[in-house]
Amino acid sequence: MPFILILIILALLTESFATSWYSGAVHSKVSEKPPYGLPPSLALIKSVVFALGIISGRLGSVALPWYYTTMAYALMFIIGLKLITETMRFHPEERIVLVDNNKTLLILSVAGSFNTLFIGISLGLIGTGIWAPVLTMFAGTLVFSFISLYLGKKYGLRPFIRLAGIAAGSLIAFVALRFFVLYFI
């Protein structure tokens, strides 16, 4: 698996990392048991959505003419910028919910997968394979989410988690811009 693809997947993992961290912190703050079902749910749903994105992108690249690569990089760049702006506008105290049932767990997992879907579509448009990225996404999300759930429970809400989201969005936008420029040169 190429190094750039690993960086993109790591950038996508920051969403699950932040979600689990904040969830662990809030549950600890109100003396509730951490939602240990969150990491497996995030891992499974993000991986399935990522696979669907890659598959639909690959199918779309067959139907679209020569400019599908340009569209892929433009979409990836937009998602990078979207991650940055979402992170800058995010206030954990206003938007974090307690995960108290499976419905909330499912909604939280699906809501955190939209960026993953569009990055998957971008990667599919440029011809990325399916299995290695999806399995890496699953394993990474599972591990990072369990670690961040524990850290959130132990250390509480921390503002530096926002910096990880900004760095992840910047990385995705930079990679897309770099490839976009190199594609036309």
Side-chain angles (χ1 to χ4, degrees), residues 13-144:
L13 292 177
T14 60
E15 288 182 309
S16 300
F17 184 84
T19 300
S20 298
W21 183 296
Y22 290 137
S23 185
V26 167
H27 281 78
S28 176
K29 191 173 187 176
V30 294
S31 301
E32 291 285 328
K33 183 178 109 178
Y36 293 115
L38 183 61
S41 176
L42 283 171
L44 181 64
I45 290 176
K46 270 183 116 63
S47 299
V48 168
V49 168
F50 195 48
L52 290 174
I54 293 173
I55 291 168
S56 62
R58 291 189 74 161
L59 291 173
S61 71
V62 173
L64 296 172
W66 60 270
Y67 55 85
Y68 64 86
T69 304
T70 306
M71 292 173 52
Y73 295 134
L75 181 60
M76 193 180 297
F77 182 75
I78 290 168
I79 294 299
L81 294 179
K82 180 179 174 288
L83 283 169
I84 293 169
T85 56
E86 283 177 350
T87 304
M88 292 175 74
R89 293 184 331 189
F90 182 73
H91 299 289
E93 301 81 18
E94 297 174 358
R95 299 186 187 166
I96 299 176
V97 296
L98 288 174
V99 179
D100 56 352
N101 59 33
N102 289 336
K103 183 178 177 183
T104 308
L105 188 69
L106 180 65
I107 290 171
L108 186 60
S109 298
V110 170
S113 298
F114 288 110
N115 294 331
T116 304
L117 173 69
F118 289 110
I119 293 295
I121 291 170
S122 296
L123 293 174
L125 283 170
I126 59 176
T128 302
I130 297 171
W131 293 110
V134 169
L135 292 175
T136 304
M137 176 68 75
F138 179 81
T141 301
L142 191 64
V143 170
F144 280 20

